[in-house]
Each structure stands twice: as C-alpha cells, then as structure tokens.
Amino acid sequence: RLQLDRGLYAELLVEDPAEPGGYDQEAVVVLDDWTLGVGPTPEQLQDRLMRQGGMMDDGMGMGMMAQGRSRELGGAGGMIDYPLYLLNGHPPTDPPTIRARPGQRLRLRVVNAAADTAFRLALGGHRLTVTHTDGFPVAPVTVDALLVGMGERCDALATLGEGAFPLVALAEGKQG
C-alpha cells in the first residue's frame, strides 16, 4: 500500500524497434516526494491524513496540509508538504549530473514516482518538445516547462546549447 513512499519502484523502459528515434542521447529523470528517514514515516503520514482528513497541521511543524495553490491542477498541489523532493534519488543539495555535448538532441524520459506531488520541470535556457506521454507517442508539442502528475511519464527532446544548464523540478503548489 505504501510502496511508493518507501521507494519501492523502478523505471522500466520498453523500446519500440519501429520508433525512428531522432535523438543522440537519453537520460531517465525520476521525480519523487520523500519523508522516509527525514520526517514522519509513511504510515504516520497516512494515519494523520486519515484522522484529520488532510486538513490540519499536525502540531509538529510538518505543515501536513500543502498551503500552496495550483491553478493548473485545479486547486491544491497535493495534501502533504514533504521534507524532501528528489531527482533520481538525490536531494537539491546533491544534484545529479547529465553529461552531453552541445548540439546533441537529448531525450529526457521523465517519470513522476511521487505519491502526492506533481512537478513542473524545465531545462534552463531550452525549450522541450514533448514526444510521448505514458509511453505512447503524441503529436509533438514544444513547451517551456512540463507539468508532470503523479504516476505520469513524459518524454521530451531538447537540442542542447553551449554550457551547463540546470534541470529544475518544482513541487507544484508546494514549498519544494
């Protein structure tokens, strides 16, 4: 029941041999909200939400109810402000690095493994062309940022410029 909250998940990539590709390199990006070992246990969070209906602070400074709003999500950005938000298992203080050369077309395979957080993802100085959602090809759409819901998967292409660029994932409607 709380497998996601315990990090019991993994990405599984299935390649379609008929897909044309059109990229030089790919990187899997797994986004997650996290409390295990740094805040209440997943069971404690679940119990509190069941008792309180997700509507009140627990008095322990955790701010159980996410106070932020998201117009795009139709209201709140989830029920819980988590103590950590991770990208490929790394906290913001220890970000992972994706290495590629200028001019390469990078395919980002974004997986939102979070239990209660949608993420807005952007690659600094680049636009992203969405090519797939939940494993299925879509008519390409070019955007400045992706809004990726819980359990959603999204593939996007970017032609890389010169230099180093931040890949940023903002917890939508939350403080992370």
Side-chain angles (χ1 to χ4, degrees), residues 81-157:
D81 274 322
Y82 281 80
L84 278 178
Y85 298 97
L86 307 177
L87 193 150
N88 287 355
H90 292 259
T93 56
D94 179 29
T97 301
I98 300 168
R99 297 195 184 281
R101 292 188 309 275
Q104 282 188 323
R105 287 179 51 89
L106 175 67
R107 180 180 189 176
L108 293 173
R109 293 178 170 251
V110 181
V111 178
N112 184 350
D116 186 57
T117 305
F119 289 93
R120 185 174 302 273
L121 182 124
L123 179 62
H126 292 79
R127 299 200 76 207
L128 301 170
T129 301
V130 178
T131 61
H132 295 74
T133 60
D134 291 331
F136 294 100
V138 297
V141 176
T142 301
V143 297
D144 293 320
L146 305 173
L147 184 58
V148 187
M150 291 79 76
E152 188 175 10
R153 296 157 329 268
C154 185
D155 290 6
L157 296 173

